Amino acid sequence: MHRVKLAAAFFCASAAIAVAEDKPGTVKTDLYTVTDGYKVDANTMKGFRTWRAAACDRCHGANQEGLVGPSLINSLKILTKDEFKATVTEGRLEKGMVAFKTSQQVMDNLDNLYAYLKGRSDGAITRTKVEELKE
Amino acid sequence: MKCTYKQVVVSLALATAPLAAFANADVEKLTADPKNWAMQAGDMYNQRYSKLKQVNDSNVNKLQVAWMFSTGVLRGHEGSPLVIGDMMYIHSPFPNKVFAMDLNTNKIVWKYEPKQDPAVIPQMCCDTVNRGLAYGEGKVVLQQADSTLVALDAKTGKVVWSVKNGDPKLGAVNTNAPHIFKDKVITGISGGEWGVRGFVAAYNLKDGKMAWKGYSTGPDEEMLIDPNTTTTWADGKVQPVGANSSLKTWKEDQWKIGGGTTWGWYSYDKALNLMYYGTGNPSTWNPAQRPGDNKWSMTIFARDVDTGKAKWVYQMTPYDEWDFDGINEMILADINVKGKPTKALVHFDRNGFGYTLDRTNGALLVAEKYDPKVNWATHVDMKSGRPQVVAKYSTAQNGPDVNTKGVCPAALGSKDQQPAAYSPDTKLFYVPTNHVCMDYEPFAVEYTAGQPYVGATLSMYPAPGSHGGMGNFIAWDAGAGKIVYSIPEKFSVWSGALATAGNLVFYGTLEGYLKAIRKSDGKELWKFKTPSGIIGNVFTYEHKGKQYVGVYSGIGGWAGIGMAAGLEKDTDGLGAVGGYRELNQYTDLGGSLTVFAIPGGN
């Protein structure tokens, strides 16, 4: 049942971001699905794992609120998805942002990383540490 | 024999004959004169003590700003300038500028600014600090961020020689100060969070040619360890380490990307011809990926300065599970340990234990907590030398993807690199400390060359159930392993201390205060608010008959503002009073040197 809903969400990824409340406590957009603020779909979960593995928290803070690097809660309200991807891939060396193009995990998960961080920025994902939505 | 050798070197230092081959004599002569501040720690023993006493406990309240200087860089400013005669050599964080200033005129005689690939900036995440310069034989030696080690002509700033010490593309960058011992420039490497394999290397001061290189991990010959003559403390005695002492403590080839970096302050005992330093954490921060003791990460090394050969080793935190880097400085002092006169080595480890060893052979004499909140181990077993880990705080026993809560100290350690001072007058150590605990959740990571390789998520907060602050400044009796006095501080004390013959100890705070306390009892006598938070080390010198005290201010990095934003919301309730968040109410980025003196003639 849930799996069908998730698949539908991803098939219409080209549509404008539509936030829907299926059932109480669930937020669903064409990027991510989150329940109770921390149970997320499989791809968003991969985005979280990528965030963690790439040690983004060392510069952007444990809660994405900024540290030596800027707050991603704010940045993701401004950057387009393409700009986000370009920044992660090529870095912003003068500002201290790593170029992640040689990291297979980050390159394979750019969309998932975006979904996770966008969910955090939108306020739909309310905790840094998320769990995978169980059936 | 030792005495004879010492006499020879001293007589050479005093002789007027050419000393080219004995740079040690030059540096030794310069550091013997308290008017100079000729090494980062003031001397080769890492004591950070000055015999100057014009500024003392009776007049320090009259101390005022004499002059200030901006480096033009807004990042964390660690280390201190050097003063050699009429010249001061000032450094900055990345891009690692060097200014040579004539103290008679405050005029910049020359300036050096290397061209470095900006790709090293992210690799120094999260701060582009540099801990300062070394001086010897008319050369100023700079260890650049991109790992280039460069010797400049002290008169002109022209490059005399330049060597590459590591590969920054793999995360091998530098933050440490180079050290000149004898005729060698000794330097290390950073990058424990990038899977860099740590080493210490010696280059000839004369021409920059590498003399030796000793790794922290791996095959015996690459560590310059002799299985039969290199010793360690085990079973209550000093004994040979045996063959493959490192290799057999790692899973497969993990040691090749296993850290053990070397970015601290080194010391040197001329009589023993030994240099001392500590190695950092094993990589990754996820212990599940590297079962074993991970030797010789987290280790005190004593090496022969001529050959690099390891005389002895002592591992403080076998199988690290908390990022308790062992790089903090080794302070050499001749003190009474449990009533017995001892050539001691004193080390305040990140793991929260203050260690006193016999520096001649590495025998363990004292290991006691220098912050009573330390809880990850009950004690160090004096026979085996091993900490007795508390299961509840073992991130390895709790396993990956489990958040181990309430570990004290945090990964910052009860003390990080901020160096302590020793006063031969009181025989006590004056230690800037952190009073911070953490939650630590390890997780599996894959190694990619040149990419971050961390493997744990951390959350840090003030030590619960204490005074609510995140630091203490303590006086420590290393012979007994006891705190003599402890001054609570609102934030971590991330500034190197200075002890003087004027019954004073100076240190800086993250809010930006430079403070002077009475050495004998810790009473605060004076403080001054500098432009930014202080993570630099206090230094002193005398010029034209007047004593000056100086310090960099310029907050940054792990200690700095950033941590405020990193606090987990759910830890705010632990009596944290907002923790580092409040730092924003006191300071912002900066980059300046403030120099103080007592106004008027002498």
Side-chain angles (χ1 to χ4, degrees):
Chain A
M1 168 78 175
H2 227 103
R3 184 163 292 158
V4 175
K5 278 188 191 164
L6 276 179
F10 285 105
F11 284 141
C12 55
S14 60
I17 293 174
V19 178
E21 288 247 4
D22 260 23
K23 60 177 188 185
T26 296
V27 179
K28 190 179 195 178
T29 73
D30 51 3
L31 287 170
Y32 53 81
T33 301
V34 55
T35 300
D36 300 336
Y38 70 96
K39 293 173 205 157
V40 298
D41 62 90
N43 284 350
T44 304
M45 189 68 199
K46 283 183 196 162
F48 164 70
R49 290 192 192 284
T50 304
W51 151 267
R52 216 169 57 156
C56 309
D57 59 318
R58 278 176 77 76
C59 292
H60 294 287
N63 296 321
Q64 292 98 14
E65 291 168 342
L67 210 147
V68 170
S71 161
L72 298 180
I73 304 293
N74 294 336
S75 296
L76 273 273
K77 296 189 200 304
I78 301 157
L79 289 179
T80 65
K81 189 172 178 181
D82 286 344
E83 286 167 342
F84 169 84
K85 286 175 150 183
T87 305
V88 174
T89 306
E90 299 299 331
R92 284 181 178 169
L93 301 182
E94 297 284 354
K95 290 187 165 187
M97 172 67 187
V98 180
F100 284 97
K101 59 188 166 195
T102 62
S103 166
Q104 196 63 45
Q105 183 177 10
V106 175
M107 289 301 99
D108 288 348
N109 285 283
L110 274 175
D111 288 326
N112 299 332
L113 183 60
Y114 182 75
Y116 166 70
L117 292 173
K118 189 68 178 156
R120 289 283 297 143
S121 176
D122 289 347
I125 301 174
T126 55
R127 314 181 174 170
T128 306
K129 197 187 174 192
V130 291
E131 292 171 13
E132 193 161 346
L133 201 56
K134 297 282 188 303
E135 295 306 313
Chain B
M1 278 299 284
K2 284 168 195 161
C3 285
T4 310
Y5 177 73
K6 192 174 182 179
Q7 283 160 1
V8 169
V9 177
V10 169
S11 59
L12 274 170
L14 297 173
T16 50
L19 299 170
F22 290 86
N24 199 40
D26 177 42
V27 179
E28 192 176 350
K29 191 170 64 178
L30 293 171
T31 54
D33 181 351
K35 291 176 182 161
N36 295 321
W37 190 259
M39 296 184 76
Q40 285 295 322
D43 67 11
M44 297 194 193
Y45 272 26
N46 261 344
Q47 291 189 348
R48 307 193 53 75
Y49 171 80
S50 172
K51 290 185 182 128
L52 298 182
K53 53 186 176 187
Q54 198 181 88
V55 177
N56 56 56
D57 56 352
S58 67
N59 63 12
V60 68
N61 60 330
K62 299 192 183 100
L63 210 53
Q64 289 186 14
V65 174
W67 55 273
M68 300 180 74
F69 178 80
S70 168
T71 65
V73 181
L74 293 179
R75 290 298 283 257
H77 282 60
E78 291 186 346
S80 77
L82 297 178
V83 177
I84 316 286
D86 287 340
M87 295 297 293
M88 179 181 283
Y89 301 97
I90 298 165
H91 75 284
S92 84
F94 189 93
N96 306 138
K97 299 180 199 178
V98 180
F99 303 90
M101 179 190 281
D102 183 337
L103 290 171
N104 293 314
T105 57
N106 278 111
K107 195 172 169 186
I108 297 166
V109 178
W110 55 260
K111 179 186 162 187
Y112 176 77
E113 183 171 340
K115 290 269 176 288
Q116 300 185 73
D117 183 348
V120 307
I121 301 172
Q123 281 169 318
M124 303 184 78
C125 185
C126 289
D127 204 1
T128 52
V129 296
N130 180 290
R131 299 195 185 87
L133 307 163
Y135 180 94
E137 291 283 293
K139 296 184 188 78
V140 171
V141 184
L142 166 70
Q143 175 62 76
Q144 294 175 197
D146 67 2
S147 92
T148 305
L149 182 69
V150 57
L152 306 172
D153 183 313
K155 287 206 166 61
T156 64
K158 295 257 166 21
V159 174
V160 181
W161 53 256
S162 170
V163 294
K164 207 161 172 254
N165 181 52
D167 184 355
K169 293 217 166 5
L170 299 178
V173 295
N174 279 95
T175 57
N176 65 284
H179 291 69
I180 295 175
F181 299 139
K182 228 169 172 177
D183 57 348
K184 310 273 195 306
V185 182
I186 317 279
T187 191
I189 201 76
S190 298
E193 281 63 58
W194 299 74
V196 170
R197 180 184 171 207
F199 62 84
V200 154
Y203 299 89
N204 297 328
L205 176 59
K206 193 177 150 203
D207 55 14
K209 198 168 158 258
M210 186 189 282
W212 53 261
K213 183 176 188 176
Y215 282 93
S216 308
T217 60
D220 292 340
E221 58 277 13
E222 292 182 16
M223 296 189 296
L224 308 180
I225 276 182
D226 181 328
N228 301 314
T229 60
T230 302
T231 58
T232 194
W233 181 257
D235 294 328
K237 59 180 188 289
V238 171
Q239 50 182 281
V241 293
N244 299 320
S245 58
S246 170
L247 290 178
K248 65 188 185 190
T249 64
W250 289 90
K251 185 182 172 188
E252 294 154 8
D253 282 350
Q254 182 70 24
W255 56 271
K256 289 183 178 169
I257 51 168
T261 54
T262 50
W263 47 275
W265 310 97
Y266 319 147
S267 51
Y268 173 60
D269 184 330
K270 185 182 69 178
L272 298 167
N273 200 35
L274 292 176
M275 63 158 288
Y276 303 90
Y277 68 97
T279 61
N281 62 288
S283 303
T284 90
W285 289 11
N286 174 20
Q289 286 174 259
R290 45 171 175 75
D293 279 353
N294 308 143
K295 288 173 178 167
W296 293 98
S297 69
M298 304 302 212
T299 295
I300 301 172
F301 268 86
R303 288 190 189 272
D304 181 293
V305 163
D306 295 330
T307 63
K309 189 179 164 277
K311 162 91 171 157
W312 60 261
V313 285
Y314 169 73
Q315 189 178 42
M316 294 150 299
T317 313
Y319 190 42
D320 171 60
E321 312 168 37
W322 311 270
D323 184 35
F324 290 154
D325 271 55
I327 63 89
N328 291 356
E329 79 284 3
M330 312 299 158
I331 306 174
L332 312 184
D334 298 335
I335 55 173
N336 282 341
V337 179
K338 295 177 175 167
K340 195 179 157 205
T342 305
K343 281 177 169 292
L345 173 153
V346 175
H347 169 71
F348 299 92
D349 198 60
R350 284 254 285 265
N351 74 13
F353 287 89
Y355 293 87
T356 306
L357 290 90
D358 179 335
R359 70 175 181 269
T360 65
N361 62 7
L364 179 65
L365 304 175
V366 175
E368 296 291 342
K369 294 174 182 178
Y370 62 96
D371 181 338
K373 285 289 171 187
V374 172
N375 65 10
W376 68 279
T378 53
H379 64 287
V380 173
D381 176 65
M382 296 306 286
K383 193 158 176 245
S384 64
R386 296 178 73 97
Q388 302 301 297
V389 176
V390 175
K392 181 177 158 188
Y393 300 118
S394 167
T395 74
Q397 291 176 47
N398 292 337
D401 298 309
V402 175
N403 196 10
T404 298
K405 295 196 169 187
V407 183
C408 306
L412 301 166
S414 294
K415 184 176 97 60
D416 201 275
Q417 61 77 28
Q418 63 271 38
Y422 167 75
S423 171
D425 310 327
T426 57
K427 306 271 184 192
L428 295 178
F429 294 78
Y430 300 90
V431 194
T433 75
N434 308 320
H435 196 51
V436 183
C437 302
M438 69 173 170
D439 301 342
Y440 187 110
E441 181 172 335
F443 56 87
V445 278
E446 277 178 36
Y447 175 76
T448 303
Q451 291 287 334
Y453 185 56
V454 183
T457 302
L458 276 61
S459 168
M460 307 195 219
Y461 40 84
S466 188
H467 52 70
M470 308 182 87
N472 290 302
F473 189 85
I474 67 165
W476 175 259
D477 177 346
K482 287 197 162 52
I483 294 172
V484 177
Y485 60 75
S486 180
I487 304 165
E489 282 287 347
K490 192 171 181 60
F491 300 103
S492 294
V493 188
W494 209 277
S495 148
L498 169 74
T500 78
N503 194 21
L504 293 172
V505 176
F506 291 89
Y507 65 95
T509 72
L510 288 185
E511 300 105 303
Y513 287 104
L514 177 62
K515 293 187 175 181
I517 59 170
R518 193 159 58 202
K519 196 163 68 178
S520 46
D521 61 3
K523 185 178 189 298
E524 184 178 301
L525 300 178
W526 172 86
K527 69 175 176 181
F528 182 89
K529 182 80 160 64
T530 67
S532 177
I534 298 175
I535 60 172
N537 304 335
V538 193
F539 70 110
T540 188
Y541 64 96
E542 185 181 310
H543 185 246
K544 289 188 169 167
K546 189 185 275 281
Q547 184 184 356
Y548 294 85
V549 176
V551 73
Y552 286 125
S553 62
I555 201 165
W558 230 20
I561 293 167
M563 282 195 58
L567 281 173
E568 291 278 356
K569 288 205 165 50
D570 62 359
T571 57
D572 286 352
L574 292 172
V577 293
Y580 282 94
R581 277 182 204 279
E582 275 190 66
L583 208 40
N584 296 322
Q585 298 170 13
Y586 295 90
T587 193
D588 206 331
L589 301 178
S592 55
L593 171 66
T594 310
V595 176
F596 301 85
I598 293 173
N602 295 294

mmCIF file with all atom_site columns, all heavy atoms in Angstrom, chain B residues 277-292:
data_model
loop_
_atom_site.group_PDB
_atom_site.id
_atom_site.type_symbol
_atom_site.label_atom_id
_atom_site.label_alt_id
_atom_site.label_comp_id
_atom_site.label_asym_id
_atom_site.label_entity_id
_atom_site.label_seq_id
_atom_site.pdbx_PDB_ins_code
_atom_site.Cartn_x
_atom_site.Cartn_y
_atom_site.Cartn_z
_atom_site.occupancy
_atom_site.B_iso_or_equiv
_atom_site.pdbx_formal_charge
_atom_site.auth_seq_id
_atom_site.auth_comp_id
_atom_site.auth_asym_id
_atom_site.auth_atom_id
_atom_site.pdbx_PDB_model_num
ATOM 1   N N   . TYR B 1 277 ? 56.862 13.665 20.879 1.00 0.00 ? 277 TYR B N   1
ATOM 2   C CA  . TYR B 1 277 ? 55.616 14.157 20.277 1.00 0.00 ? 277 TYR B CA  1
ATOM 3   C C   . TYR B 1 277 ? 54.561 13.064 20.407 1.00 0.00 ? 277 TYR B C   1
ATOM 4   O O   . TYR B 1 277 ? 54.875 11.913 20.740 1.00 0.00 ? 277 TYR B O   1
ATOM 5   C CB  . TYR B 1 277 ? 55.822 14.534 18.802 1.00 0.00 ? 277 TYR B CB  1
ATOM 6   C CG  . TYR B 1 277 ? 56.098 13.351 17.910 1.00 0.00 ? 277 TYR B CG  1
ATOM 7   C CD1 . TYR B 1 277 ? 55.079 12.739 17.176 1.00 0.00 ? 277 TYR B CD1 1
ATOM 8   C CD2 . TYR B 1 277 ? 57.378 12.815 17.823 1.00 0.00 ? 277 TYR B CD2 1
ATOM 9   C CE1 . TYR B 1 277 ? 55.330 11.644 16.377 1.00 0.00 ? 277 TYR B CE1 1
ATOM 10  C CE2 . TYR B 1 277 ? 57.633 11.710 17.023 1.00 0.00 ? 277 TYR B CE2 1
ATOM 11  C CZ  . TYR B 1 277 ? 56.608 11.125 16.311 1.00 0.00 ? 277 TYR B CZ  1
ATOM 12  O OH  . TYR B 1 277 ? 56.858 10.018 15.531 1.00 0.00 ? 277 TYR B OH  1
ATOM 13  N N   . GLY B 1 278 ? 53.315 13.419 20.105 1.00 0.00 ? 278 GLY B N   1
ATOM 14  C CA  . GLY B 1 278 ? 52.229 12.449 20.178 1.00 0.00 ? 278 GLY B CA  1
ATOM 15  C C   . GLY B 1 278 ? 51.584 12.229 18.820 1.00 0.00 ? 278 GLY B C   1
ATOM 16  O O   . GLY B 1 278 ? 51.601 13.119 17.971 1.00 0.00 ? 278 GLY B O   1
ATOM 17  N N   . THR B 1 279 ? 51.009 11.040 18.634 1.00 0.00 ? 279 THR B N   1
ATOM 18  C CA  . THR B 1 279 ? 50.306 10.740 17.386 1.00 0.00 ? 279 THR B CA  1
ATOM 19  C C   . THR B 1 279 ? 48.800 10.796 17.610 1.00 0.00 ? 279 THR B C   1
ATOM 20  O O   . THR B 1 279 ? 48.309 10.563 18.712 1.00 0.00 ? 279 THR B O   1
ATOM 21  C CB  . THR B 1 279 ? 50.681 9.357  16.825 1.00 0.00 ? 279 THR B CB  1
ATOM 22  O OG1 . THR B 1 279 ? 50.305 8.355  17.772 1.00 0.00 ? 279 THR B OG1 1
ATOM 23  C CG2 . THR B 1 279 ? 52.174 9.273  16.553 1.00 0.00 ? 279 THR B CG2 1
ATOM 24  N N   . GLY B 1 280 ? 48.071 11.070 16.536 1.00 0.00 ? 280 GLY B N   1
ATOM 25  C CA  . GLY B 1 280 ? 46.637 11.304 16.611 1.00 0.00 ? 280 GLY B CA  1
ATOM 26  C C   . GLY B 1 280 ? 45.791 10.049 16.524 1.00 0.00 ? 280 GLY B C   1
ATOM 27  O O   . GLY B 1 280 ? 46.282 8.917  16.607 1.00 0.00 ? 280 GLY B O   1
ATOM 28  N N   . ASN B 1 281 ? 44.504 10.310 16.317 1.00 0.00 ? 281 ASN B N   1
ATOM 29  C CA  . ASN B 1 281 ? 43.516 9.228  16.309 1.00 0.00 ? 281 ASN B CA  1
ATOM 30  C C   . ASN B 1 281 ? 43.699 8.287  15.125 1.00 0.00 ? 281 ASN B C   1
ATOM 31  O O   . ASN B 1 281 ? 44.140 8.693  14.062 1.00 0.00 ? 281 ASN B O   1
ATOM 32  C CB  . ASN B 1 281 ? 42.105 9.829  16.250 1.00 0.00 ? 281 ASN B CB  1
ATOM 33  C CG  . ASN B 1 281 ? 41.888 10.630 14.990 1.00 0.00 ? 281 ASN B CG  1
ATOM 34  O OD1 . ASN B 1 281 ? 42.439 11.717 14.849 1.00 0.00 ? 281 ASN B OD1 1
ATOM 35  N ND2 . ASN B 1 281 ? 41.119 10.110 14.053 1.00 0.00 ? 281 ASN B ND2 1
ATOM 36  N N   . PRO B 1 282 ? 43.316 7.021  15.327 1.00 0.00 ? 282 PRO B N   1
ATOM 37  C CA  . PRO B 1 282 ? 43.271 6.106  14.188 1.00 0.00 ? 282 PRO B CA  1
ATOM 38  C C   . PRO B 1 282 ? 42.051 6.434  13.320 1.00 0.00 ? 282 PRO B C   1
ATOM 39  O O   . PRO B 1 282 ? 41.026 6.882  13.827 1.00 0.00 ? 282 PRO B O   1
ATOM 40  C CB  . PRO B 1 282 ? 43.127 4.739  14.844 1.00 0.00 ? 282 PRO B CB  1
ATOM 41  C CG  . PRO B 1 282 ? 42.483 5.012  16.178 1.00 0.00 ? 282 PRO B CG  1
ATOM 42  C CD  . PRO B 1 282 ? 42.926 6.380  16.593 1.00 0.00 ? 282 PRO B CD  1
ATOM 43  N N   . SER B 1 283 ? 42.165 6.206  12.023 1.00 0.00 ? 283 SER B N   1
ATOM 44  C CA  . SER B 1 283 ? 41.038 6.452  11.115 1.00 0.00 ? 283 SER B CA  1
ATOM 45  C C   . SER B 1 283 ? 40.382 5.118  10.771 1.00 0.00 ? 283 SER B C   1
ATOM 46  O O   . SER B 1 283 ? 41.073 4.124  10.578 1.00 0.00 ? 283 SER B O   1
ATOM 47  C CB  . SER B 1 283 ? 41.522 7.096  9.821  1.00 0.00 ? 283 SER B CB  1
ATOM 48  O OG  . SER B 1 283 ? 42.204 8.297  10.093 1.00 0.00 ? 283 SER B OG  1
ATOM 49  N N   . THR B 1 284 ? 39.071 5.093  10.697 1.00 0.00 ? 284 THR B N   1
ATOM 50  C CA  . THR B 1 284 ? 38.070 6.136  10.829 1.00 0.00 ? 284 THR B CA  1
ATOM 51  C C   . THR B 1 284 ? 37.673 6.313  12.300 1.00 0.00 ? 284 THR B C   1
ATOM 52  O O   . THR B 1 284 ? 38.170 5.589  13.166 1.00 0.00 ? 284 THR B O   1
ATOM 53  C CB  . THR B 1 284 ? 36.795 5.799  10.045 1.00 0.00 ? 284 THR B CB  1
ATOM 54  O OG1 . THR B 1 284 ? 35.883 5.071  10.876 1.00 0.00 ? 284 THR B OG1 1
ATOM 55  C CG2 . THR B 1 284 ? 37.085 4.896  8.869  1.00 0.00 ? 284 THR B CG2 1
ATOM 56  N N   . TRP B 1 285 ? 36.713 7.210  12.508 1.00 0.00 ? 285 TRP B N   1
ATOM 57  C CA  . TRP B 1 285 ? 36.163 7.375  13.866 1.00 0.00 ? 285 TRP B CA  1
ATOM 58  C C   . TRP B 1 285 ? 35.205 6.237  14.205 1.00 0.00 ? 285 TRP B C   1
ATOM 59  O O   . TRP B 1 285 ? 34.700 6.176  15.317 1.00 0.00 ? 285 TRP B O   1
ATOM 60  C CB  . TRP B 1 285 ? 35.415 8.709  13.976 1.00 0.00 ? 285 TRP B CB  1
ATOM 61  C CG  . TRP B 1 285 ? 36.287 9.922  13.972 1.00 0.00 ? 285 TRP B CG  1
ATOM 62  C CD1 . TRP B 1 285 ? 37.636 9.980  13.682 1.00 0.00 ? 285 TRP B CD1 1
ATOM 63  C CD2 . TRP B 1 285 ? 35.896 11.261 14.291 1.00 0.00 ? 285 TRP B CD2 1
ATOM 64  N NE1 . TRP B 1 285 ? 38.081 11.269 13.796 1.00 0.00 ? 285 TRP B NE1 1
ATOM 65  C CE2 . TRP B 1 285 ? 37.030 12.083 14.158 1.00 0.00 ? 285 TRP B CE2 1
ATOM 66  C CE3 . TRP B 1 285 ? 34.680 11.847 14.658 1.00 0.00 ? 285 TRP B CE3 1
ATOM 67  C CZ2 . TRP B 1 285 ? 36.999 13.472 14.395 1.00 0.00 ? 285 TRP B CZ2 1
ATOM 68  C CZ3 . TRP B 1 285 ? 34.644 13.224 14.882 1.00 0.00 ? 285 TRP B CZ3 1
ATOM 69  C CH2 . TRP B 1 285 ? 35.798 14.026 14.759 1.00 0.00 ? 285 TRP B CH2 1
ATOM 70  N N   . ASN B 1 286 ? 34.942 5.363  13.266 1.00 0.00 ? 286 ASN B N   1
ATOM 71  C CA  . ASN B 1 286 ? 34.063 4.214  13.528 1.00 0.00 ? 286 ASN B CA  1
ATOM 72  C C   . ASN B 1 286 ? 34.928 3.025  13.938 1.00 0.00 ? 286 ASN B C   1
ATOM 73  O O   . ASN B 1 286 ? 35.542 2.379  13.092 1.00 0.00 ? 286 ASN B O   1
ATOM 74  C CB  . ASN B 1 286 ? 33.257 3.883  12.271 1.00 0.00 ? 286 ASN B CB  1
ATOM 75  C CG  . ASN B 1 286 ? 32.434 2.616  12.445 1.00 0.00 ? 286 ASN B CG  1
ATOM 76  O OD1 . ASN B 1 286 ? 32.162 2.193  13.572 1.00 0.00 ? 286 ASN B OD1 1
ATOM 77  N ND2 . ASN B 1 286 ? 32.056 1.993  11.333 1.00 0.00 ? 286 ASN B ND2 1
ATOM 78  N N   . PRO B 1 287 ? 34.976 2.706  15.229 1.00 0.00 ? 287 PRO B N   1
ATOM 79  C CA  . PRO B 1 287 ? 35.920 1.676  15.676 1.00 0.00 ? 287 PRO B CA  1
ATOM 80  C C   . PRO B 1 287 ? 35.642 0.295  15.078 1.00 0.00 ? 287 PRO B C   1
ATOM 81  O O   . PRO B 1 287 ? 36.562 -0.522 14.951 1.00 0.00 ? 287 PRO B O   1
ATOM 82  C CB  . PRO B 1 287 ? 35.760 1.687  17.195 1.00 0.00 ? 287 PRO B CB  1
ATOM 83  C CG  . PRO B 1 287 ? 34.481 2.384  17.488 1.00 0.00 ? 287 PRO B CG  1
ATOM 84  C CD  . PRO B 1 287 ? 34.218 3.300  16.344 1.00 0.00 ? 287 PRO B CD  1
ATOM 85  N N   . ALA B 1 288 ? 34.386 0.041  14.693 1.00 0.00 ? 288 ALA B N   1
ATOM 86  C CA  . ALA B 1 288 ? 34.049 -1.283 14.163 1.00 0.00 ? 288 ALA B CA  1
ATOM 87  C C   . ALA B 1 288 ? 34.873 -1.619 12.919 1.00 0.00 ? 288 ALA B C   1
ATOM 88  O O   . ALA B 1 288 ? 35.082 -2.789 12.599 1.00 0.00 ? 288 ALA B O   1
ATOM 89  C CB  . ALA B 1 288 ? 32.554 -1.345 13.846 1.00 0.00 ? 288 ALA B CB  1
ATOM 90  N N   . GLN B 1 289 ? 35.355 -0.599 12.222 1.00 0.00 ? 289 GLN B N   1
ATOM 91  C CA  . GLN B 1 289 ? 36.101 -0.840 10.989 1.00 0.00 ? 289 GLN B CA  1
ATOM 92  C C   . GLN B 1 289 ? 37.591 -1.101 11.216 1.00 0.00 ? 289 GLN B C   1
ATOM 93  O O   . GLN B 1 289 ? 38.322 -1.352 10.276 1.00 0.00 ? 289 GLN B O   1
ATOM 94  C CB  . GLN B 1 289 ? 35.927 0.358  10.033 1.00 0.00 ? 289 GLN B CB  1
ATOM 95  C CG  . GLN B 1 289 ? 34.545 0.384  9.405  1.00 0.00 ? 289 GLN B CG  1
ATOM 96  C CD  . GLN B 1 289 ? 34.311 1.630  8.571  1.00 0.00 ? 289 GLN B CD  1
ATOM 97  O OE1 . GLN B 1 289 ? 33.668 2.575  9.007  1.00 0.00 ? 289 GLN B OE1 1
ATOM 98  N NE2 . GLN B 1 289 ? 34.830 1.642  7.351  1.00 0.00 ? 289 GLN B NE2 1
ATOM 99  N N   . ARG B 1 290 ? 38.031 -1.001 12.464 1.00 0.00 ? 290 ARG B N   1
ATOM 100 C CA  . ARG B 1 290 ? 39.458 -1.200 12.700 1.00 0.00 ? 290 ARG B CA  1
ATOM 101 C C   . ARG B 1 290 ? 39.725 -1.885 14.041 1.00 0.00 ? 290 ARG B C   1
ATOM 102 O O   . ARG B 1 290 ? 40.342 -1.309 14.936 1.00 0.00 ? 290 ARG B O   1
ATOM 103 C CB  . ARG B 1 290 ? 40.215 0.132  12.617 1.00 0.00 ? 290 ARG B CB  1
ATOM 104 C CG  . ARG B 1 290 ? 39.545 1.252  13.335 1.00 0.00 ? 290 ARG B CG  1
ATOM 105 C CD  . ARG B 1 290 ? 40.342 2.523  13.460 1.00 0.00 ? 290 ARG B CD  1
ATOM 106 N NE  . ARG B 1 290 ? 39.540 3.542  14.075 1.00 0.00 ? 290 ARG B NE  1
ATOM 107 C CZ  . ARG B 1 290 ? 39.241 3.599  15.379 1.00 0.00 ? 290 ARG B CZ  1
ATOM 108 N NH1 . ARG B 1 290 ? 39.744 2.700  16.212 1.00 0.00 ? 290 ARG B NH1 1
ATOM 109 N NH2 . ARG B 1 290 ? 38.482 4.557  15.851 1.00 0.00 ? 290 ARG B NH2 1
ATOM 110 N N   . PRO B 1 291 ? 39.241 -3.131 14.203 1.00 0.00 ? 291 PRO B N   1
ATOM 111 C CA  . PRO B 1 291 ? 39.496 -3.855 15.447 1.00 0.00 ? 291 PRO B CA  1
ATOM 112 C C   . PRO B 1 291 ? 41.001 -3.963 15.715 1.00 0.00 ? 291 PRO B C   1
ATOM 113 O O   . PRO B 1 291 ? 41.793 -4.058 14.783 1.00 0.00 ? 291 PRO B O   1
ATOM 114 C CB  . PRO B 1 291 ? 38.874 -5.229 15.187 1.00 0.00 ? 291 PRO B CB  1
ATOM 115 C CG  . PRO B 1 291 ? 38.752 -5.337 13.703 1.00 0.00 ? 291 PRO B CG  1
ATOM 116 C CD  . PRO B 1 291 ? 38.540 -3.945 13.203 1.00 0.00 ? 291 PRO B CD  1
ATOM 117 N N   . GLY B 1 292 ? 41.361 -3.935 16.990 1.00 0.00 ? 292 GLY B N   1
ATOM 118 C CA  . GLY B 1 292 ? 42.778 -4.012 17.376 1.00 0.00 ? 292 GLY B CA  1
ATOM 119 C C   . GLY B 1 292 ? 43.201 -2.761 18.118 1.00 0.00 ? 292 GLY B C   1
ATOM 120 O O   . GLY B 1 292 ? 42.447 -1.798 18.216 1.00 0.00 ? 292 GLY B O   1
#
